[in-house]
Amino acid sequence: MARILITSALPYINGIKHLGNLIGSQLPSDVYARYMRGRGHEVLHICATDEHGSPAELAAKKAGQPVAEYCAEMHAVQADLARGFRIGFDHFGRTSDPANHKLTQGFAEALDRAGLISEVVEHQIYSVDDARFLADRYVEGTCPNCGYDRARGDQCENCTKQLDPTDLIEPRSAISGSTNLEVRETRHLHLRQKQMRGQLSEWIESRTDWPVLTTSIAKKWLNDGDGLQDRGITRDLDWGIKVTRNGAPWPGLEDKVFYVWFDAPIGYIAATVEWADKTGNDWKRWWRTDAGAQDVKYVQFMGKDNVPFHTLSFPATILGSGEPWKLVDYIKSFNYLNYEGGQFSTSLGRGVFMDQALDILPSDYWRWWLLSHCPETSDSEFTWESFQSGVNKDLADVLGNFVSRVTKFCRSKFSEEVPSGGQYGPEEDALIADLETRLKAYETHMEAIDIRKSAAELRAIWVAGNEYLQAAAPWAVFKEDPDRAAAQIRLALNLIRLYAVLSKPFIPDAAHTMLEAMNATDAEWPESVAEAMSALPAGHAFTVPANLFDKITDEAREEMQARYAGKG
RNA sequence: GGCUGGGUAGCUCAGCUGGUUAGAGCGCACGACUCAUAAUCGUGAGGUCGGGAGUUCAAGUCUCCCCCCCGCCA
């Protein structure tokens, strides 16, 4: 039995995530966690909301709430949606939790002791009326290049020219619109990542089994241009983790907090501490290599935009601290999911968001389609047609109908008990042999976290049941040789139970319904298919479940297409 | 402009360290079956693997050049 620590990228607090975010980390991490649990491994699956930074402050302001209150509310919403999608986190924490404050300050102090923190004086735009420093993108004005009057301080959206906030003509605060701005000096801490470039590079180079997407992004940041740069780890904000040194406020940085990218990944550890406090478990045996974590396999899931932080910044924090923290073993990264030929857009209301999705259809529908189309090797695309076709064909026709035809046939020709009589013959043995092979392939793909291939193999396992049934034709055999038909149906009923067990990682709710209908007490991962085919003995009572999946009609699909097209 | 990733059947994608007639699912055509959510099963049509040059006995698979898409960065 292995011990596997799984973390899913932390969703930012300011709003509900769309399907692209969902398939980029939480859904695949859940499939992997469920599978590994199913195989009997000790799994800890952790996530949290990423709550600090200006966007959170501004979203709270817009909502007319104190930021702490806003975050608490949004955390509850996101936790609820995760549950709605059956994401089985052991704990869904918050980066604003006291545990994260303590850990983050501890890391910064350790890095400082290691000589990896420097103080840097910067010049930044200060808004007198807002009483705060403005990040580049919160300064707006007229573009000196093209005259566009809503250019941002980092870039003009109209002519795409890169800008410095001080380049803008008539700059104003994007928050209040105030033009009462001035350039002020401000002191910040930098993490001296440059010094760690060799160490990080060596580490990345040694990870030969990682997805190309992960390593290529990491190498780009390591080697591009002047190579890995030092980065600021503090900000002039109220909402965040106070900067300390030797347990006391850092002299000269009393009004500052850590920059969100610094404290967020530490949130993985903090959320584990939260979990331990709540459950009475020990978090150190998952995170401290001097306390048992040396034999943990740590796997992270994230979208490609998060890769630099997980391959470089966070490891720099871990390694630089000089303390025995657990470093990630495998980074599974994903490309983007597009929506009907474009991008998902929060501002334009384009695409489907997690709350809307659950209002439309149960989570299994989304889980199945998203996972079987997840953007592993390149960006992939959500279209309503593809979604309709995938759900109808795979879930309703192949799996759902299999359960339906078998249970209903048995009820009408025998009873709602596994029929006795006859025995398995060469046809059954051939099916079992085929399924043994497919089961091994499924397991191999799951171990490798090849989500799409796993889904394809699972589907092939479902199809094999229909193939068998079609060839065996118990409805015809029954007329001449009821005993033979009984054996065939006995096998088919056992297939339903097996399918439920194997399908649990992808479609947990349907799997549960199938197990209940089969009245199955054994839901353990099968040692062998042959053995699994006698789990439900003759005489075992079952019930005919309602259809597992309803089909999506053309009308419904067209309606959705129109409703979520966005206003862009 | 620099750099990832990608460009393989109508659609969505597999194709590892180069090696028999390039694969799957969907869609389409035809056939079988009629237990089942008009579901299922079988057969078939369909691709000069973005373009060009090269290496090799042999190239979607390696090298170089070019074109196009997505994204990141300047």
Side-chain angles (χ1 to χ4, degrees):
Chain A
M1 190 170 93
R3 294 171 59 220
I4 306 169
L5 173 63
I6 301 170
T7 61
S8 179
L10 310 184
Y12 197 69
I13 194 70
N14 71 338
I16 289 163
K17 305 297 134 187
H18 54 62
L19 296 183
N21 301 126
L22 182 63
I23 191 55
S25 57
Q26 294 191 11
L27 225 35
S29 77
D30 184 58
V31 168
Y32 186 61
R34 282 176 182 273
Y35 172 76
M36 285 304 179
R37 282 209 173 95
R39 297 308 308 271
H41 298 303
E42 188 182 356
V43 170
L44 188 65
H45 188 197
I46 293 290
C47 193
T49 37
D50 176 9
E51 303 192 0
H52 296 134
S54 315
E57 285 191 337
L58 296 174
K61 197 172 170 187
K62 198 176 165 193
Q65 286 177 299
V67 63
E69 188 182 308
Y70 171 84
C71 286
E73 228 168 73
M74 285 308 299
H75 171 81
V77 169
Q78 296 210 22
D80 201 46
L81 286 169
R83 271 191 296 276
F85 277 95
R86 306 294 183 258
I87 311 291
F89 296 128
D90 287 290
H91 189 71
F92 186 65
R94 307 178 57 185
T95 60
S96 60
D97 189 272
N100 198 40
H101 284 243
K102 194 173 158 203
L103 281 164
T104 299
Q105 289 166 344
F107 269 108
E109 294 190 16
L111 288 164
D112 181 39
R113 285 194 295 274
L116 289 167
I117 299 281
S118 57
E119 286 191 37
V120 177
V121 174
E122 296 176 3
H123 296 272
Q124 224 181 325
I125 303 277
Y126 184 83
S127 169
V128 178
D129 294 337
D130 292 314
R132 63 186 289 164
F133 282 95
L134 299 177
D136 292 355
R137 62 197 164 115
Y138 289 123
V139 183
E140 278 184 359
T142 301
C143 174
N145 187 47
C146 71
Y148 180 62
D149 66 354
R150 287 173 59 193
R152 298 196 320 196
D154 53 347
Q155 182 177 31
C156 172
E157 283 180 344
N158 189 46
C159 66
T160 74
K161 186 173 172 59
Q162 297 289 313
L163 300 169
D164 198 75
T166 51
D167 296 338
L168 293 171
I169 300 162
E170 294 181 13
R172 60 182 183 273
S173 161
I175 297 166
S176 62
S178 167
T179 54
N180 191 5
L181 309 180
E182 50 193 57
V183 176
R184 287 192 185 176
E185 269 193 2
T186 177
R187 182 179 301 269
H188 281 295
L189 300 187
H190 278 210
L191 176 60
R192 305 174 75 178
Q193 298 185 136
K194 266 188 202 171
Q195 289 198 1
M196 302 196 59
R197 185 169 171 275
Q199 195 180 354
L200 290 167
S201 183
E202 198 177 309
W203 175 60
I204 295 292
E205 292 292 342
S206 71
R207 304 292 97 172
T208 51
D209 61 330
W210 285 9
V212 216
L213 183 66
T214 304
T215 47
S216 67
I217 291 174
K219 286 178 188 170
K220 176 186 152 35
W221 282 69
L222 275 170
N223 306 320
D224 211 41
D226 299 328
L228 188 63
Q229 296 299 301
D230 292 349
R231 290 196 68 167
I233 58 167
T234 51
R235 294 269 108 170
D236 292 283
L237 295 174
D238 298 324
W239 176 238
I241 296 172
K242 292 293 178 194
V243 183
T244 59
R245 183 179 220 176
N246 301 323
W250 190 298
L253 284 88
E254 293 86 352
D255 296 329
K256 300 185 196 304
V257 297
F258 284 107
Y259 196 1
V260 59
W261 73 258
F262 183 73
D263 78 67
I266 297 170
Y268 292 135
I269 307 174
T272 311
V273 174
E274 290 180 53
W275 163 79
D277 288 346
K278 197 179 76 178
T279 59
N281 276 287
D282 175 16
W283 64 271
K284 287 186 178 169
R285 63 190 282 272
W286 293 97
W287 281 103
R288 293 286 295 203
T289 53
D290 58 346
Q294 70 284 347
D295 60 347
V296 165
K297 179 179 180 182
Y298 176 22
V299 182
Q300 295 175 339
F301 289 79
M302 71 201 66
K304 61 182 168 186
D305 51 328
N306 250 319
V307 170
F309 297 106
H310 291 78
T311 51
L312 304 169
S313 307
F314 189 37
T317 300
I318 295 275
L319 293 169
S321 73
E323 297 171 346
W325 295 101
K326 176 68 190 174
L327 194 59
V328 64
D329 293 301
Y330 190 84
I331 299 182
K332 178 73 180 180
S333 55
F334 294 89
N335 289 280
Y336 292 143
L337 179 72
N338 291 316
Y339 179 81
E340 295 271 13
Q343 294 185 354
F344 277 84
S345 166
T346 307
S347 52
L348 295 176
R350 190 163 192 286
V352 184
F353 290 73
M354 285 172 74
D355 54 341
Q356 299 168 333
L358 289 178
D359 285 341
I360 299 169
L361 286 167
S363 65
D364 279 351
Y365 291 66
W366 299 104
R367 289 178 65 106
W368 174 256
W369 189 90
L370 289 167
L371 288 163
S372 58
H373 291 80
C374 83
E376 276 175 313
T377 50
S378 63
D379 289 359
S380 66
E381 179 158 315
F382 176 91
T383 66
W384 284 99
E385 269 186 59
S386 173
F387 178 66
Q388 177 194 26
S389 147
V391 163
N392 288 356
K393 197 71 197 170
D394 301 346
L395 295 183
D397 294 349
V398 174
L399 178 62
N401 184 52
F402 179 79
V403 172
S404 175
R405 68 196 296 206
V406 169
T407 53
K408 285 177 183 169
F409 179 82
C410 185
R411 181 175 62 184
S412 82
K413 295 295 191 276
F414 298 100
S415 69
E416 285 185 84
E417 279 182 8
V418 177
S420 59
Q423 50 193 325
Y424 297 164
E427 291 81 4
E428 287 70 33
D429 291 342
L431 171 66
I432 288 166
D434 178 43
L435 287 178
E436 300 283 14
T437 307
R438 293 197 175 282
L439 176 59
K440 286 284 167 298
Y442 180 50
E443 290 171 355
T444 303
H445 289 139
M446 280 300 229
E447 303 284 338
I449 325 184
D450 269 331
I451 307 287
R452 275 176 109 124
K453 288 181 181 173
S454 302
E457 197 58 49
L458 179 59
R459 185 190 191 279
I461 288 172
W462 298 339
V463 167
N466 280 312
E467 285 173 5
Y468 164 79
L469 216 57
Q470 207 60 33
W475 49 88
V477 171
F478 181 78
K479 296 168 190 162
E480 307 297 327
D481 186 353
D483 272 0
R484 173 80 189 118
Q488 292 170 338
I489 288 301
R490 194 159 64 245
L491 182 86
L493 287 166
N494 273 286
L495 279 178
I496 294 176
R497 190 201 67 91
L498 175 67
Y499 288 177
V501 174
L502 301 185
S503 304
K504 264 200 291 188
F506 284 86
I507 43 172
D509 288 350
H512 179 74
T513 304
M514 290 161 74
L515 286 171
E516 270 202 334
M518 288 303 101
N519 201 12
T521 46
D522 176 10
E524 294 296 300
W525 200 263
E527 287 293 322
S528 77
V529 176
E531 202 177 290
M533 288 305 93
S534 55
L536 304 179
H540 178 90
F542 68 91
T543 53
V544 176
N547 284 344
L548 255 37
F549 302 98
D550 292 324
K551 294 207 204 189
I552 300 168
T553 63
D554 289 347
E555 296 72 50
R557 186 204 73 215
E558 282 159 19
E559 205 251 321
M560 295 302 137
Q561 245 160 348
R563 193 190 309 173
Y564 297 99
K567 357 176 196 322

